[in-house]
Amino acid sequence: MSARLSRTTPLVPEARPAVDPAELRPGIVHFGLGAFHRAHQAVYTENAAARSGEPWGITAVAPRSAETVRALRDQDCLYSLTERRPEGPRTRVVGSVVDALAMGPDARAVSTLLADPEVTVVTLTVTEKGYHRLAATGGLDTAAVAADLVSDPDGPFTTVVGTLAAGLAARTRAGGAPISVVSCDNMADNGAVLSRVVREFVAASHWPDRVRIMDRIDETVRFPATVVDRIVPAVTEADRLAAATALGVRDELAVTAEPYRQWVLEDSFAAPRPPWELDGALFTRDVTPYQLTKLRLLNGSHSALAYLGTAAGRTTIADAMAADWGERLVRALCAEVAPTLPAGGPDPSAYADDLVVRFRNPAMHHLLRQIGSDGSLKITERWLPALRTLRARGASTPVLELALAAWVLSTRRTETDAPTDPAADTLAACWDGTTAPVETVRALLRVLGSTDLADDDRLTAAIADRLPALQAGRIEI
């Protein structure tokens, strides 16, 4: 099948975009062209535009992948989304993305957009590592963005943080209109995190007007916190072929997702925004209860299933859930962590019920290797804060200890298909020169910046004691 998806492709009514892309304007700049954005924020934005009649369109900026930009442009910025429903797949085309740019080659166009008063929202899905934070303090790792800090104010920049800070600086220098910058990445207090690294970048820059810029950012820019939720597996060639069959044309950027989706946003915007609530998004004064529930129950369970499932020879979430320990793990982890959650969020027991149903979806093929990637960044958000809280209260933490043991095992790098991690070499080196598992556990926790946990003898011993059974492929809950 040689024909490719485009605006001239004839589609059956149920597969057509909810809006005419030609009628949209680029009111949103989004950093991150990955599958999650295309299956989540872009869908909410398209439906909000369709239901309100407001012409909200997205210019998507790829931090690294120029190939994705070319592929999207070749398809008139259209792509398909297939919802993997238990009763069968449902495929439709999404039309809310109106342009695609590559952050480096298209630096001038990106800068112009960030200064454009017609652009009132910036969103980001760049994963935890895209914020370049220090594990010990949570602040900006200036060494990681050193090249951008000495770049010309007009760029180009190599990091999203540098690009965004410079764009906001240019906007404020021009007396630009207020704007909202919305992190959609899975981090606690993601709005505050993004605000901090942007401000610290400006403070560390050599710009002579940096103090005035920071004052103007305080006055005109908001960084709302958010919670995003939708399981979006890595796309396979089989997925692309299935989308092509459904559409009648080839789609190089097809994405798949579970039917469920959720978006909770802090109601703190500085400028006009799409009416996402028309498509079910929830606006609230405080997203923290929702954020921590999602991070610690859903994301926490996902990571636990990834590492324990890998130890047991499983390959997908549904495969891990089919094991006799799968549901027990999810429910036990949720029950263990629930006491650390603030009031005002979803009921933890009902939330666990929903997770079991979602994770068991037979149509989903969410790879454990994908979920287990970047573990040194993810588990510091998903497991460790709850672990500290529980241990400070004197509560037992057997499920988190088991999950940590499985993560410890994954860092050994004895398998060629082990999950990727930015700290992979440093983590693997913790296994060198020691025959005492508890010392390896301590060293790994220190790599995570968790010296307090590394110095907890009872904790490290409990984790180390779990390793032999896991190495034998036994999951003992």
Side-chain angles (χ1 to χ4, degrees), residues 409-466:
L409 195 61
S410 78
T411 65
R412 195 167 188 173
R413 299 294 171 184
T414 55
E415 301 295 334
T416 57
D417 62 346
T420 59
D421 195 291
D425 293 340
T426 305
L427 296 169
C430 294
W431 291 86
D432 298 337
T434 178
T435 57
V438 72
E439 293 303 324
T440 300
V441 171
R442 289 193 181 106
L444 288 166
L445 289 171
R446 290 191 181 102
V447 171
L448 299 182
S450 301
T451 302
D452 58 325
L453 299 178
D455 292 340
D456 185 332
D457 292 340
R458 291 180 63 185
L459 174 66
T460 53
I463 295 170
D465 288 345
R466 293 283 199 164

Side-chain angles (χ1 to χ4, degrees), residues 332-363:
L333 181 64
C334 290
E336 183 170 295
V337 171
T340 72
L341 300 174
D347 175 71
S349 179
Y351 196 89
D353 291 341
D354 289 341
L355 289 182
V356 169
V357 173
R358 293 170 64 188
F359 291 169
R360 277 182 169 169
N361 184 345

Side-chain angles (χ1 to χ4, degrees), residues 6-255:
S6 72
R7 291 189 184 181
T8 60
T9 300
L11 298 169
V12 295
E14 58 268 25
R16 293 173 188 163
V19 292
D20 180 354
E23 296 180 356
L24 303 180
R25 62 170 178 80
I28 303 170
V29 172
H30 179 80
F31 286 93
L33 251 177
F36 185 82
H37 168 67
R38 285 180 276 140
H40 191 274
Q41 298 92 28
V43 175
Y44 276 98
T45 299
E46 180 182 61
N47 291 340
R51 291 170 184 172
S52 67
E54 299 174 8
W56 288 99
I58 301 167
T59 296
V61 180
R64 292 173 300 277
S65 179
E67 289 185 7
T68 304
V69 171
R70 284 193 295 271
L72 198 55
R73 287 174 173 172
D74 287 346
Q75 296 185 176
D76 297 332
C77 293
L78 298 176
Y79 62 90
S80 66
L81 166 66
T82 298
E83 290 188 350
R84 292 180 173 178
R85 299 172 175 268
E87 68 273 18
R90 182 179 300 174
T91 301
R92 74 175 184 89
V93 173
V94 179
S96 56
V97 178
V98 296
D99 198 6
L101 302 172
M103 194 172 73
D106 298 319
R108 189 171 297 277
V110 174
S111 179
T112 298
L113 274 171
L114 291 174
D116 186 345
E118 294 298 310
V119 172
T120 57
V121 178
V122 175
T123 53
L124 297 88
T125 51
V126 295
T127 75
E128 295 95 330
K129 61 186 174 184
Y131 293 77
H132 301 290
R133 301 166 68 201
L134 291 166
T137 67
L140 179 67
D141 183 352
T142 53
V145 298
D148 282 0
L149 285 170
V150 298
S151 288
D152 184 274
D154 295 327
F157 297 89
T158 60
T159 68
V160 172
V161 172
T163 300
L164 181 57
L168 293 175
R171 188 180 182 102
T172 60
R173 289 186 185 109
I179 191 169
S180 303
V181 185
V182 187
S183 170
C184 300
D185 286 298
N186 285 320
M187 300 181 297
D189 300 320
N190 53 10
V193 166
L194 179 56
S195 174
R196 179 176 176 179
V197 295
V198 167
R199 284 178 168 85
E200 291 184 358
F201 185 96
V202 175
S205 74
H206 298 287
W207 303 334
D209 59 347
R210 58 186 177 275
V211 174
R212 186 174 69 86
I213 289 170
M214 291 178 68
D215 289 342
R216 286 288 294 160
I217 287 176
D218 288 340
E219 295 170 4
T220 63
V221 184
R222 295 290 179 270
F223 296 86
T226 66
V227 182
V228 296
D229 190 2
R230 190 172 212 182
I231 297 173
V232 181
V235 177
T236 66
E237 183 59 24
D239 294 327
R240 295 187 187 93
L241 290 174
T245 300
L247 298 172
V249 291
R250 180 77 176 176
D251 176 12
E252 295 297 334
L253 290 168
V255 293

